[in-house]
Each structure stands twice: as C-alpha cells, then as structure tokens.
C-alpha cells in the first residue's frame, strides 16, 4: 500500500484525505501543528458550483440543508447611499445538486472530518526537514522520522513546508488590506449583498437557514512591518472598535451594534506561483497559491487542487502543475480586478464603474466568461 503524508488539516488537506479514505488503496496520515481545530466559530465561507460538485462526490449532497444556504444572486450596493447598483444571477451556473452554497466554515470542516478516523490526524506535529530520494523521508517535530511515497503540502498561506522544500523564503506578502469579520442575525435577505465603498468593501451572506449571516469587510490599509506582525494589535478592542467605526461611518447601512464576534486579521497573498519540481510532492490549497479575497474562490480552488492531485497520483500523470497554474492565473486576475473595482474612490470613476457593472451584469457572454469559466469548468 502506498503511504501518503498530508501536512495541514485545513479544507484542502481534509478534502484530499476524504478522497484517499474513499478509495482505500492508500495509507495516509495528516500532521497538524495545532492541538485542536476550531469547530465552533460562526464565520462563513462561499463555495461555487465547481467545488460543490467535488464535495458531492464525498457525500456533501446528503447533509442537512438547514445548515447551508443557496444564495441565488449577488446584489451590488453603493455603501455610502445603500442604493442598489445591480445584481448578478449566480444561480445560472447551478445545475441539479450543484448549487452556489454558503455555510459556516466550521460546518464544512466538521463535514470533512466526519469520514476521517481520529487516529489518522496527528496533532501538535510540524515538519522539520525532508529528504527525498526513492522515498520521501520526513523528520517531524515529535522527534520521529517517517517514510512516505507521496507528500501533500496543505499547510496554508504561511506554508513553512514550502520554504523548507524550496530552501528559500517563500513567505506571502501583506496585501495592504485588513479583513474584519463578524456575525449578524435576523436579516431578511437570503442572497449575497456586496457593498462597495471607497477603499473598502463588505459582504453579507447567510450561512444557514437559521437567519444567521456572515459579515466580512476588506479594508485597504497601509501598515508598518511591525504593525502587521503585531498579533495583539489585531486582537485589541480599541483597534477592532476603530476599524468597525471607520466602516459604520462610511455606510448608511445601519451595522452599529449588530455585528457580533468581531475579529480582524491582515490579508496575505502569494507573491508568485513557484516552480515545483519535486517528484511525488504536491502543493495544494493556499500553500500552493493564496488569492486576494475578493472573488471568494480560495476554498473552492483548495478543493479543486486536492481533486486534481488525487487524479494525478491515481493515473500516474504529470500535468497537475501545468494545468493548475493556468487555472490559478484565471482566478488571480479576476480576484485582483474585483478588488480594484470594488475599492475605487474617485466619484467620477465610480459613476463609470457603476454604469459598466449594470451593463455587464446583464451581458450573458461576459458572465459566462468571467464567472462561468471558474464556476463551471
Ligand atoms: C478574509 C478571507 C475571506 C475568505 N473568504 C472565502 C470565501 O468566502 N470563499 C472561499 O472559497 N475562500 C475564502 N477565503 C479563502 C479560504 O479561506 C482559503 O483559501 C482556504 O481556507 C485555504 O485552505 P487550506 O486548507 O489550503 O489552508 P488553511 O485553511 O489555512 O489550513 C492550513 C492548515 O495547516 C495547518 N498548518 C499550518 N502550518 C503547519 C505546519 N507547519 N505543520 C502542520 N500543520 C500546519 C494549520 O493549522 C491549518 O489547520 C477567504 C480568505 C480570507 C483571508
């Protein structure tokens, strides 16, 4: 039986483990640096039809639909006036059982953990070094050395394994933006609401059928190196208060007092797509490439990359990185363009942007190209 090591127990690593679990011709183990996974937070995640299709293959279509939501539209608003600009019908890209889905990230993780035997996950373990020849030899932080046939690297945007394997600094770059997220309850809109403001945007969407919603705002901010690295700053109540007040002041939507469990963190993105040449070592998810968070594709692409590596190993092909690079390019420029368009600040340019948005929202060819190529291909 071929032995596979997975580094990191996030969406990509767990999805990949589910594929291995379903095939039962591989022995595998997941190394996770944290002592436990957070299975209780209420923050949301959006999954487009491309990843729902792949999740259904491991039983996602059997879950309790009360725990997920199926928004049909993205409604665009001007944050300052709360006036609607236009809407895009994302349900056009759905097919039976493959619908654009929003849910709590913790619910997705619980679903992915469901089929994985507990003993397969080794907590509090990190990779220290790798020797690769015929077999891949891992030295681990628990002082053990283990041998594997394949190594799957899924340890997220700050992937330490990436710098170990590529023997250089591969740290991501601060995207000059801060994410502020929280939960809201009891709204009356089951679609995705996207509010565009100068130098920020925020998105509100349902995470289940219980009237619970996710709030996520991306605020453009230049910070010094020390500030970005200062975890206490992002957790301090003064900082959270001033950041939320900054948003409340810039929108007529009344959010004050409605957001719960507010948290903030700096947004990091990958500097470039690296050259990966190691035989039988595969990077997936954010460890491979992390996008700007303005196209909501990170988790979906993490799942797609896991599926592609699984196929590559099963079929003994050598096309994963070539094809993945093409897909990543497509998602990355769309994410960057969205970010640019969502954050415009010049009133005249904003007028043009809104006009163009209205035209594009009704242009079938554009939507098929811009969204369909990602959501359906
Ligand atoms: C603000 C924001 C909003 C987002 N919203 C969305 C959205 O709506 N839709 C969407 O599709 N995507 C979204 N994303 C992106 C998405 O969350 C990520 O792309 C996705 O979670 C990546 O999954 P992953 O498994 O690759 O990495 P992660 O989820 O980061 O998991 C990595 C795991 O590896 C572990 N680990 C780290 N280092 C080590 C180590 N050295 N050894 C062992 N284990 C290690 C970590 O503890 C963690 O458990 C968003 C991202 C941001 C920043």
């Amino acid at each position: 039986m071929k032995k596979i090591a997975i580094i990191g127990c996030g969406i990509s690593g767990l999805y990949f483990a589910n594929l291995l679990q379903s095939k039962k011709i591989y022995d595998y183990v997941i190394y996770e640096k944290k002592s436990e996974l957070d299975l209780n937070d209420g923050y949301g995640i959006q999954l487009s039809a491309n990843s729902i299709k792949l999740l259904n293959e491991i039983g996602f279509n059997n879950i309790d639909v009360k725990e997920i939501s199926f928004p049909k539209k993205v409604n665009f608003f001007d944050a300052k006036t709360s006036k609607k600009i236009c809407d895009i019908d994302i349900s056009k890209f759905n097919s039976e059982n493959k619908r654009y889905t929003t849910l709590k990230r913790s619910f997705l993780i619980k679903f992915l953990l469901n089929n994985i035997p507990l003993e397969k996950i080794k907590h509090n373990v990190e990779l220290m070094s790798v020797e690769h020849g015929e077999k891949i030899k891992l030295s681990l932080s628990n002082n053990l050395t283990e041998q594997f046939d394949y190594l799957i690297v899924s340890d997220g945007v700050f992937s330490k394994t990436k710098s170990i394997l590529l023997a250089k600094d591969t740290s991501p770059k601060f995207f000059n933006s801060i994410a502020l997220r929280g939960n809201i309850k009891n709204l009356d809109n089951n679609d995705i609401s996207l509010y565009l403001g100068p130098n920020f945007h925020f998105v509100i969407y349902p995470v289940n059928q219980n009237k619970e919603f996710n709030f996520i705002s991306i605020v453009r901010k230049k910070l010094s190196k020390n500030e970005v690295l200062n975890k206490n700053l992002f957790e301090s109540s003064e900082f959270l208060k001033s950041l939320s007040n900054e948003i409340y002041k810039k929108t007529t939507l009344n959010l004050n007092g409605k957001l719960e469990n507010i948290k903030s963190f700096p947004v990091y993105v990958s500097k470039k797509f690296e050259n990966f040449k190691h035989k039988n070592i595969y990077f997936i998810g954010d460890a491979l490439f992390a996008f700007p968070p303005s196209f909501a594709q990170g988790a979906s692409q993490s799942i797609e990359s896991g599926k592609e590596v699984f196929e590559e190993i099963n079929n003994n092909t050598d096309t994963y990185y070539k094809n993945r690079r093409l897909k990543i390019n497509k998602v990355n420029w769309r994410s960057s363009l969205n970010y640019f368009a969502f954050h415009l600040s010049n009133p005249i340019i904003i007028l043009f942007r809104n006009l163009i948005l209205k035209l594009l929202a009704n242009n079938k060819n554009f939507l098929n190209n811009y969204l369909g190529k990602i959501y359906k291909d």
Side-chain angles (χ1 to χ4, degrees):
M1 214 180 222
K2 296 272 186 209
K3 271 186 81 183
I4 302 186
I6 301 169
I7 312 283
C9 205
I11 293 169
S12 58
L14 281 173
Y15 175 72
F16 186 79
N18 270 268
L19 296 176
L20 297 179
Q21 190 66 33
S22 64
K23 191 99 173 171
K24 294 202 168 37
I25 56 167
Y26 302 103
D27 186 18
Y28 71 95
V29 56
I30 312 176
Y31 297 112
E32 166 59 49
K33 77 168 179 186
K34 283 194 216 141
S35 55
E36 57 183 349
L37 303 178
D38 190 348
L39 299 178
N40 293 314
D41 82 36
Y43 304 118
I45 194 126
Q46 306 181 42
L47 295 170
S48 42
N50 46 323
S51 58
I52 293 297
K53 176 178 153 214
L54 303 179
L55 285 169
N56 284 348
E57 292 173 10
I58 57 163
F60 193 72
N61 42 345
N62 299 323
I63 58 157
D64 183 354
V65 288
K66 286 209 255 12
E67 298 296 340
I68 56 180
S69 194
F70 304 112
K72 292 194 171 68
K73 284 184 194 170
V74 178
N75 295 307
F76 291 78
F77 296 92
D78 180 326
K80 195 170 157 197
T81 59
S82 296
K83 275 202 185 130
K84 187 164 160 179
I85 304 166
C86 63
D87 59 66
I88 288 180
D89 180 1
I90 44 171
S91 71
K92 274 189 192 144
F93 306 103
N94 293 347
S95 52
E96 204 196 344
N97 277 337
K98 291 164 214 140
R99 288 184 278 176
Y100 200 103
T101 303
T102 51
L103 72 167
K104 287 184 184 171
R105 179 191 290 257
S106 54
F107 183 79
L108 178 62
I109 297 285
K110 274 188 224 162
F111 163 77
L112 292 170
L113 280 172
N114 229 358
N115 291 324
I116 311 287
L118 278 179
E119 69 274 10
K120 292 281 186 195
I121 305 175
K122 311 286 178 211
H123 285 278
N124 296 315
V125 184
E126 279 190 63
L127 179 77
M128 303 313 286
S129 64
V130 184
E131 274 177 49
H132 33 93
E134 199 49 19
K135 295 261 178 185
I136 299 160
K137 208 166 163 190
L138 306 185
S139 300
L140 301 158
S141 56
N142 56 3
N143 290 328
L144 288 179
T145 306
E146 303 270 359
Q147 283 210 133
F148 295 91
D149 297 288
Y150 295 96
L151 172 63
I152 308 301
V153 184
S154 51
D155 54 354
V157 57
F158 299 105
S159 180
K160 200 173 142 195
T161 314
K162 192 157 154 182
S163 9
I164 293 175
L165 280 160
L166 300 188
K168 61 175 186 178
D169 177 15
T170 56
S171 28
K173 63 174 183 215
F174 174 53
F175 193 53
N176 290 326
S177 301
I178 297 176
L180 182 84
R181 61 182 178 182
N183 309 125
I184 315 190
K185 285 197 181 118
N186 299 325
L187 300 178
D188 267 328
N189 190 339
N190 280 329
D191 287 321
I192 299 170
S193 305
L194 173 51
Y195 286 77
L196 312 181
N199 298 318
F200 75 99
H201 74 276
F202 62 83
V203 188
I204 300 173
Y205 58 84
V207 289
N208 53 28
Q209 314 274 343
N210 280 334
K211 289 201 167 276
E212 292 184 85
F213 293 77
N214 183 68
F215 171 91
I216 174 84
S217 182
I218 307 294
V219 185
R220 204 179 275 251
K221 256 209 182 345
K222 285 229 156 65
L223 295 177
S224 70
K225 212 173 173 182
N226 283 343
E227 284 173 319
V228 180
L229 297 174
N230 182 358
K231 257 189 148 191
N232 294 337
L233 172 75
F234 292 95
E235 285 167 9
S236 80
S237 48
E238 296 92 75
F239 184 76
L240 290 174
K241 209 169 162 189
S242 91
L243 200 61
S244 359
N245 280 336
E246 196 180 318
I247 297 169
Y248 300 160
K249 269 195 264 161
K250 289 182 184 163
T251 177
T252 45
L253 186 75
N254 185 7
L255 293 167
N256 203 348
K258 293 190 176 158
L259 289 185
E260 293 170 358
N261 308 320
I262 300 177
K263 279 196 179 156
S264 78
F265 54 92
V267 177
Y268 282 88
V269 295
S270 293
K271 281 184 196 136
K272 62 173 190 153
F273 189 94
E274 299 285 353
N275 257 332
F276 301 98
K277 289 186 184 140
H278 302 94
K279 201 168 170 283
N280 298 343
I281 298 182
Y282 295 100
F283 287 77
I284 58 176
D286 280 8
L288 176 65
F289 196 90
F291 307 98
S294 26
F295 194 33
Q297 271 295 307
S300 291
Q301 293 305 312
S302 295
I303 290 167
E304 272 191 18
S305 61
K307 174 71 175 181
E308 288 165 10
V309 168
F310 181 69
E311 296 295 336
E312 173 115 333
I313 293 176
N314 271 337
N315 302 325
N316 205 12
T317 51
D318 190 18
T319 53
Y320 168 67
Y321 284 119
K322 191 171 151 248
N323 294 340
R324 189 90 299 259
R325 183 197 280 263
L326 293 176
K327 185 75 183 257
I328 281 176
N329 281 343
K330 283 186 197 170
V331 175
N332 196 36
W333 75 253
R334 284 166 172 81
S335 305
S336 304
L337 180 60
N338 283 0
Y339 181 83
F340 169 78
F342 294 173
H343 286 215
L344 289 172
S345 55
N346 180 311
I348 297 169
I349 297 177
I350 287 177
L351 265 178
F352 276 110
R353 189 246 349 246
N354 293 355
L355 203 68
I356 293 169
L357 262 178
K358 279 182 199 163
L359 290 173
L360 294 179
N362 291 309
N363 184 317
K364 216 172 150 190
N365 283 340
F366 167 77
L367 294 178
N368 281 340
N369 262 309
Y370 199 74
L371 301 178
K373 280 214 162 113
I374 307 299
Y375 294 173
K376 288 183 95 174
D377 283 5

